[in-house]
PDB file of all heavy atoms in Angstrom:
ATOM      1  N   HIS A 297      82.078  14.125  99.531  1.00 66.00           N
ATOM      2  CA  HIS A 297      81.955  15.257  98.617  1.00 66.00           C
ATOM      3  C   HIS A 297      82.225  14.868  97.164  1.00 66.00           C
ATOM      4  O   HIS A 297      82.090  15.689  96.268  1.00 66.00           O
ATOM      5  CB  HIS A 297      82.901  16.388  99.045  1.00 66.00           C
ATOM      6  CG  HIS A 297      82.451  17.059 100.306  1.00 66.00           C
ATOM      7  ND1 HIS A 297      82.738  16.548 101.550  1.00 66.00           N
ATOM      8  CD2 HIS A 297      81.732  18.179 100.506  1.00 66.00           C
ATOM      9  CE1 HIS A 297      82.212  17.331 102.463  1.00 66.00           C
ATOM     10  NE2 HIS A 297      81.585  18.326 101.870  1.00 66.00           N
ATOM     11  N   ALA A 298      82.593  13.618  96.927  1.00 65.00           N
ATOM     12  CA  ALA A 298      82.925  13.165  95.572  1.00 65.00           C
ATOM     13  C   ALA A 298      81.804  13.380  94.555  1.00 65.00           C
ATOM     14  O   ALA A 298      82.090  13.692  93.400  1.00 65.00           O
ATOM     15  CB  ALA A 298      83.355  11.700  95.598  1.00 65.00           C
ATOM     16  N   PRO A 299      80.532  13.258  94.928  1.00 74.00           N
ATOM     17  CA  PRO A 299      79.471  13.470  93.924  1.00 74.00           C
ATOM     18  C   PRO A 299      79.374  14.912  93.424  1.00 74.00           C
ATOM     19  O   PRO A 299      78.720  15.171  92.419  1.00 74.00           O
ATOM     20  CB  PRO A 299      78.185  13.094  94.674  1.00 74.00           C
ATOM     21  CG  PRO A 299      78.617  12.273  95.832  1.00 74.00           C
ATOM     22  CD  PRO A 299      79.984  12.753  96.183  1.00 74.00           C
ATOM     23  N   PHE A 300      80.016  15.831  94.112  1.00 75.00           N
ATOM     24  CA  PHE A 300      79.929  17.244  93.752  1.00 75.00           C
ATOM     25  C   PHE A 300      81.193  17.674  93.021  1.00 75.00           C
ATOM     26  O   PHE A 300      82.302  17.350  93.426  1.00 75.00           O
ATOM     27  CB  PHE A 300      79.723  18.099  95.005  1.00 75.00           C
ATOM     28  CG  PHE A 300      78.575  17.630  95.844  1.00 75.00           C
ATOM     29  CD1 PHE A 300      78.796  16.914  97.009  1.00 75.00           C
ATOM     30  CD2 PHE A 300      77.270  17.868  95.449  1.00 75.00           C
ATOM     31  CE1 PHE A 300      77.742  16.457  97.778  1.00 75.00           C
ATOM     32  CE2 PHE A 300      76.200  17.411  96.204  1.00 75.00           C
ATOM     33  CZ  PHE A 300      76.439  16.702  97.376  1.00 75.00           C
ATOM     34  N   SER A 301      81.027  18.417  91.945  1.00 83.00           N
ATOM     35  CA  SER A 301      82.154  18.907  91.165  1.00 83.00           C
ATOM     36  C   SER A 301      82.748  20.133  91.872  1.00 83.00           C
ATOM     37  O   SER A 301      82.156  21.214  91.857  1.00 83.00           O
ATOM     38  CB  SER A 301      81.677  19.273  89.754  1.00 83.00           C
ATOM     39  OG  SER A 301      82.749  19.776  89.008  1.00 83.00           O
ATOM     40  N   ILE A 302      83.902  19.934  92.496  1.00 87.00           N
ATOM     41  CA  ILE A 302      84.538  21.004  93.264  1.00 87.00           C
ATOM     42  C   ILE A 302      85.859  21.372  92.585  1.00 87.00           C
ATOM     43  O   ILE A 302      86.831  20.614  92.635  1.00 87.00           O
ATOM     44  CB  ILE A 302      84.799  20.566  94.718  1.00 87.00           C
ATOM     45  CG1 ILE A 302      83.486  20.122  95.370  1.00 87.00           C
ATOM     46  CG2 ILE A 302      85.456  21.696  95.506  1.00 87.00           C
ATOM     47  CD1 ILE A 302      83.650  19.447  96.715  1.00 87.00           C
ATOM     48  N   ASP A 303      85.860  22.517  91.925  1.00 90.00           N
ATOM     49  CA  ASP A 303      87.098  22.980  91.289  1.00 90.00           C
ATOM     50  C   ASP A 303      87.781  23.995  92.205  1.00 90.00           C
ATOM     51  O   ASP A 303      87.301  24.298  93.303  1.00 90.00           O
ATOM     52  CB  ASP A 303      86.824  23.545  89.894  1.00 90.00           C
ATOM     53  CG  ASP A 303      85.928  24.776  89.887  1.00 90.00           C
ATOM     54  OD1 ASP A 303      85.651  25.365  90.958  1.00 90.00           O
ATOM     55  OD2 ASP A 303      85.503  25.172  88.784  1.00 90.00           O
ATOM     56  N   ARG A 304      88.903  24.514  91.755  1.00 93.00           N
ATOM     57  CA  ARG A 304      89.674  25.455  92.573  1.00 93.00           C
ATOM     58  C   ARG A 304      88.847  26.703  92.905  1.00 93.00           C
ATOM     59  O   ARG A 304      88.889  27.202  94.027  1.00 93.00           O
ATOM     60  CB  ARG A 304      90.971  25.837  91.850  1.00 93.00           C
ATOM     61  CG  ARG A 304      91.829  26.845  92.577  1.00 93.00           C
ATOM     62  CD  ARG A 304      92.509  26.334  93.821  1.00 93.00           C
ATOM     63  NE  ARG A 304      93.291  25.165  93.501  1.00 93.00           N
ATOM     64  CZ  ARG A 304      93.646  24.248  94.396  1.00 93.00           C
ATOM     65  NH1 ARG A 304      93.299  24.370  95.636  1.00 93.00           N
ATOM     66  NH2 ARG A 304      94.354  23.214  94.052  1.00 93.00           N
ATOM     67  N   ASP A 305      88.076  27.194  91.951  1.00 93.00           N
ATOM     68  CA  ASP A 305      87.257  28.374  92.206  1.00 93.00           C
ATOM     69  C   ASP A 305      86.230  28.108  93.306  1.00 93.00           C
ATOM     70  O   ASP A 305      86.060  28.922  94.220  1.00 93.00           O
ATOM     71  CB  ASP A 305      86.542  28.832  90.923  1.00 93.00           C
ATOM     72  CG  ASP A 305      85.712  30.076  91.169  1.00 93.00           C
ATOM     73  OD1 ASP A 305      86.279  31.126  91.558  1.00 93.00           O
ATOM     74  OD2 ASP A 305      84.480  30.000  90.982  1.00 93.00           O
ATOM     75  N   ALA A 306      85.547  26.968  93.234  1.00 91.00           N
ATOM     76  CA  ALA A 306      84.563  26.623  94.265  1.00 91.00           C
ATOM     77  C   ALA A 306      85.244  26.479  95.627  1.00 91.00           C
ATOM     78  O   ALA A 306      84.729  26.949  96.645  1.00 91.00           O
ATOM     79  CB  ALA A 306      83.832  25.342  93.897  1.00 91.00           C
ATOM     80  N   SER A 307      86.401  25.845  95.638  1.00 93.00           N
ATOM     81  CA  SER A 307      87.159  25.692  96.881  1.00 93.00           C
ATOM     82  C   SER A 307      87.538  27.050  97.470  1.00 93.00           C
ATOM     83  O   SER A 307      87.378  27.284  98.671  1.00 93.00           O
ATOM     84  CB  SER A 307      88.414  24.858  96.608  1.00 93.00           C
ATOM     85  OG  SER A 307      89.264  24.853  97.727  1.00 93.00           O
ATOM     86  N   ASP A 308      88.022  27.926  96.612  1.00 95.00           N
ATOM     87  CA  ASP A 308      88.421  29.266  97.072  1.00 95.00           C
ATOM     88  C   ASP A 308      87.219  30.064  97.579  1.00 95.00           C
ATOM     89  O   ASP A 308      87.321  30.770  98.588  1.00 95.00           O
ATOM     90  CB  ASP A 308      89.106  30.043  95.941  1.00 95.00           C
ATOM     91  CG  ASP A 308      90.490  29.502  95.599  1.00 95.00           C
ATOM     92  OD1 ASP A 308      91.033  28.681  96.378  1.00 95.00           O
ATOM     93  OD2 ASP A 308      91.019  29.894  94.544  1.00 95.00           O
ATOM     94  N   ARG A 309      86.095  29.953  96.902  1.00 96.00           N
ATOM     95  CA  ARG A 309      84.881  30.653  97.337  1.00 96.00           C
ATOM     96  C   ARG A 309      84.405  30.098  98.682  1.00 96.00           C
ATOM     97  O   ARG A 309      84.028  30.840  99.586  1.00 96.00           O
ATOM     98  CB  ARG A 309      83.769  30.512  96.298  1.00 96.00           C
ATOM     99  CG  ARG A 309      83.962  31.359  95.081  1.00 96.00           C
ATOM    100  CD  ARG A 309      82.906  31.006  94.025  1.00 96.00           C
ATOM    101  NE  ARG A 309      83.017  31.858  92.886  1.00 96.00           N
ATOM    102  CZ  ARG A 309      82.492  33.072  92.784  1.00 96.00           C
ATOM    103  NH1 ARG A 309      81.796  33.571  93.774  1.00 96.00           N
ATOM    104  NH2 ARG A 309      82.656  33.788  91.700  1.00 96.00           N
ATOM    105  N   TRP A 310      84.392  28.776  98.784  1.00 95.00           N
ATOM    106  CA  TRP A 310      83.987  28.131 100.028  1.00 95.00           C
ATOM    107  C   TRP A 310      84.866  28.633 101.172  1.00 95.00           C
ATOM    108  O   TRP A 310      84.359  29.025 102.226  1.00 95.00           O
ATOM    109  CB  TRP A 310      84.115  26.609  99.875  1.00 95.00           C
ATOM    110  CG  TRP A 310      83.629  25.825 101.048  1.00 95.00           C
ATOM    111  CD1 TRP A 310      82.407  25.249 101.182  1.00 95.00           C
ATOM    112  CD2 TRP A 310      84.344  25.533 102.254  1.00 95.00           C
ATOM    113  NE1 TRP A 310      82.320  24.621 102.407  1.00 95.00           N
ATOM    114  CE2 TRP A 310      83.493  24.784 103.075  1.00 95.00           C
ATOM    115  CE3 TRP A 310      85.614  25.838 102.716  1.00 95.00           C
ATOM    116  CZ2 TRP A 310      83.868  24.324 104.333  1.00 95.00           C
ATOM    117  CZ3 TRP A 310      86.002  25.393 103.980  1.00 95.00           C
ATOM    118  CH2 TRP A 310      85.129  24.644 104.778  1.00 95.00           C
ATOM    119  N   LEU A 311      86.169  28.603 100.954  1.00 97.00           N
ATOM    120  CA  LEU A 311      87.102  29.028 101.994  1.00 97.00           C
ATOM    121  C   LEU A 311      86.905  30.495 102.355  1.00 97.00           C
ATOM    122  O   LEU A 311      86.877  30.852 103.543  1.00 97.00           O
ATOM    123  CB  LEU A 311      88.541  28.779 101.548  1.00 97.00           C
ATOM    124  CG  LEU A 311      89.624  29.192 102.549  1.00 97.00           C
ATOM    125  CD1 LEU A 311      89.457  28.442 103.871  1.00 97.00           C
ATOM    126  CD2 LEU A 311      91.002  28.948 101.943  1.00 97.00           C
ATOM    127  N   SER A 312      86.748  31.329 101.360  1.00 98.00           N
ATOM    128  CA  SER A 312      86.536  32.758 101.617  1.00 98.00           C
ATOM    129  C   SER A 312      85.305  32.985 102.491  1.00 98.00           C
ATOM    130  O   SER A 312      85.337  33.765 103.456  1.00 98.00           O
ATOM    131  CB  SER A 312      86.395  33.493 100.288  1.00 98.00           C
ATOM    132  OG  SER A 312      86.062  34.835 100.504  1.00 98.00           O
ATOM    133  N   HIS A 313      84.224  32.283 102.184  1.00 98.00           N
ATOM    134  CA  HIS A 313      82.997  32.433 102.972  1.00 98.00           C
ATOM    135  C   HIS A 313      83.167  31.888 104.389  1.00 98.00           C
ATOM    136  O   HIS A 313      82.654  32.469 105.351  1.00 98.00           O
ATOM    137  CB  HIS A 313      81.816  31.758 102.282  1.00 98.00           C
ATOM    138  CG  HIS A 313      81.448  32.389 100.981  1.00 98.00           C
ATOM    139  ND1 HIS A 313      81.422  33.757 100.789  1.00 98.00           N
ATOM    140  CD2 HIS A 313      81.080  31.843  99.795  1.00 98.00           C
ATOM    141  CE1 HIS A 313      81.062  34.024  99.546  1.00 98.00           C
ATOM    142  NE2 HIS A 313      80.845  32.877  98.925  1.00 98.00           N
ATOM    143  N   MET A 314      83.881  30.777 104.522  1.00 98.00           N
ATOM    144  CA  MET A 314      84.078  30.209 105.857  1.00 98.00           C
ATOM    145  C   MET A 314      84.969  31.125 106.707  1.00 98.00           C
ATOM    146  O   MET A 314      84.668  31.371 107.878  1.00 98.00           O
ATOM    147  CB  MET A 314      84.677  28.804 105.766  1.00 98.00           C
ATOM    148  CG  MET A 314      84.827  28.141 107.121  1.00 98.00           C
ATOM    149  SD  MET A 314      83.294  28.030 108.103  1.00 98.00           S
ATOM    150  CE  MET A 314      82.503  26.636 107.318  1.00 98.00           C
ATOM    151  N   LEU A 315      86.038  31.637 106.123  1.00 98.00           N
ATOM    152  CA  LEU A 315      86.925  32.524 106.886  1.00 98.00           C
ATOM    153  C   LEU A 315      86.198  33.806 107.275  1.00 98.00           C
ATOM    154  O   LEU A 315      86.349  34.301 108.402  1.00 98.00           O
ATOM    155  CB  LEU A 315      88.191  32.823 106.088  1.00 98.00           C
ATOM    156  CG  LEU A 315      89.068  31.607 105.752  1.00 98.00           C
ATOM    157  CD1 LEU A 315      90.318  32.046 104.997  1.00 98.00           C
ATOM    158  CD2 LEU A 315      89.416  30.789 106.981  1.00 98.00           C
ATOM    159  N   ALA A 316      85.401  34.342 106.366  1.00 98.00           N
ATOM    160  CA  ALA A 316      84.619  35.541 106.682  1.00 98.00           C
ATOM    161  C   ALA A 316      83.604  35.235 107.782  1.00 98.00           C
ATOM    162  O   ALA A 316      83.347  36.075 108.657  1.00 98.00           O
ATOM    163  CB  ALA A 316      83.908  36.053 105.429  1.00 98.00           C
ATOM    164  N   SER A 317      83.048  34.042 107.776  1.00 98.00           N
ATOM    165  CA  SER A 317      82.077  33.649 108.804  1.00 98.00           C
ATOM    166  C   SER A 317      82.734  33.549 110.177  1.00 98.00           C
ATOM    167  O   SER A 317      82.149  33.971 111.180  1.00 98.00           O
ATOM    168  CB  SER A 317      81.419  32.316 108.422  1.00 98.00           C
ATOM    169  OG  SER A 317      80.686  32.455 107.222  1.00 98.00           O
ATOM    170  N   ILE A 318      83.935  33.021 110.218  1.00 98.00           N
ATOM    171  CA  ILE A 318      84.683  32.962 111.487  1.00 98.00           C
ATOM    172  C   ILE A 318      84.835  34.360 112.053  1.00 98.00           C
ATOM    173  O   ILE A 318      84.608  34.593 113.248  1.00 98.00           O
ATOM    174  CB  ILE A 318      86.067  32.299 111.274  1.00 98.00           C
ATOM    175  CG1 ILE A 318      85.898  30.794 111.043  1.00 98.00           C
ATOM    176  CG2 ILE A 318      86.992  32.562 112.456  1.00 98.00           C
ATOM    177  CD1 ILE A 318      87.177  30.097 110.607  1.00 98.00           C
ATOM    178  N   ASP A 319      85.201  35.293 111.183  1.00 98.00           N
ATOM    179  CA  ASP A 319      85.378  36.679 111.631  1.00 98.00           C
ATOM    180  C   ASP A 319      84.046  37.307 112.037  1.00 98.00           C
ATOM    181  O   ASP A 319      83.960  37.984 113.062  1.00 98.00           O
ATOM    182  CB  ASP A 319      86.046  37.511 110.541  1.00 98.00           C
ATOM    183  CG  ASP A 319      87.491  37.101 110.305  1.00 98.00           C
ATOM    184  OD1 ASP A 319      88.084  36.423 111.171  1.00 98.00           O
ATOM    185  OD2 ASP A 319      88.027  37.455 109.239  1.00 98.00           O
ATOM    186  N   GLU A 320      83.010  37.065 111.249  1.00 98.00           N
ATOM    187  CA  GLU A 320      81.706  37.658 111.525  1.00 98.00           C
ATOM    188  C   GLU A 320      81.118  37.153 112.846  1.00 98.00           C
ATOM    189  O   GLU A 320      80.507  37.916 113.592  1.00 98.00           O
ATOM    190  CB  GLU A 320      80.753  37.349 110.370  1.00 98.00           C
ATOM    191  CG  GLU A 320      79.459  38.124 110.420  1.00 98.00           C
ATOM    192  CD  GLU A 320      78.627  37.928 109.167  1.00 98.00           C
ATOM    193  OE1 GLU A 320      79.187  37.884 108.055  1.00 98.00           O
ATOM    194  OE2 GLU A 320      77.393  37.802 109.322  1.00 98.00           O
ATOM    195  N   VAL A 321      81.325  35.890 113.132  1.00 98.00           N
ATOM    196  CA  VAL A 321      80.835  35.303 114.374  1.00 98.00           C
ATOM    197  C   VAL A 321      81.656  35.805 115.571  1.00 98.00           C
ATOM    198  O   VAL A 321      81.183  35.793 116.692  1.00 98.00           O
ATOM    199  CB  VAL A 321      80.841  33.759 114.265  1.00 98.00           C
ATOM    200  CG1 VAL A 321      80.628  33.076 115.593  1.00 98.00           C
ATOM    201  CG2 VAL A 321      79.772  33.309 113.272  1.00 98.00           C
TER     202      VAL A 321
END
Side-chain angles (χ1 to χ4, degrees):
H297 289 83
F300 308 103
S301 179
I302 304 170
D303 63 11
R304 178 71 55 203
D305 181 61
S307 171
D308 289 348
R309 285 172 176 277
W310 184 97
L311 180 59
S312 174
H313 295 319
M314 183 56 79
L315 298 182
S317 297
I318 288 171
D319 292 343
E320 191 172 320
V321 168

